[in-house]
Amino acid sequence: MLIIIAIMFAGVLTGYLLRRKKLRFIPTAITVFIWLLLFLLGIEVGDNETLINSLSKLGAEAMILTLGAVAGSIFLSWLLWYAVNRQQRADKV
């Protein structure tokens, strides 16, 4: 964990020291490295037999969590909209 924090601080320090330079390749490099990390993560997941065998269960749980999050967001958004409109109507009177 300390190595990760040290690498992060080294990146911050490097960014601070190079802040005046135009490093136009950085966004492209970041995109390429993210794709590479996702590809390597896929290889790691594909190699894990336990995970592959339980994909259907994990998919069902993910669907339930997603639907619950969406339903909760819709409900709380509606509740906020109702409260704001109620306040605006009270201000007009």
Side-chain angles (χ1 to χ4, degrees):
M1 185 65 171
L2 289 176
I3 293 173
I4 294 170
I5 293 172
I7 290 171
M8 188 172 68
F9 278 121
V12 170
L13 179 62
T14 303
Y16 180 77
L17 294 173
L18 298 175
R19 69 184 180 276
R20 306 239 189 265
K21 298 199 183 285
K22 297 287 184 189
L23 302 173
R24 294 195 171 115
F25 67 92
I26 295 294
T28 304
I30 290 171
T31 301
V32 168
F33 282 120
I34 289 173
W35 289 345
L36 180 63
L37 286 171
L38 287 171
F39 179 73
L40 293 174
L41 179 65
I43 290 174
E44 187 70 26
V45 168
D47 188 45
N48 188 338
E49 281 190 40
T50 306
L51 188 61
I52 293 297
N53 291 336
S54 63
L55 272 180
S56 61
K57 180 183 176 192
L58 290 172
E61 290 176 5
M63 182 63 77
I64 291 169
L65 286 171
T66 300
L67 292 175
V70 169
S73 295
I74 290 171
F75 174 72
L76 290 176
S77 297
W78 174 81
L79 196 62
L80 178 63
W81 178 82
Y82 181 78
V84 167
N85 282 337
R86 188 171 144 202
Q87 182 65 36
Q88 287 176 351
R89 281 182 274 163
D91 290 343
K92 288 182 182 178
V93 173

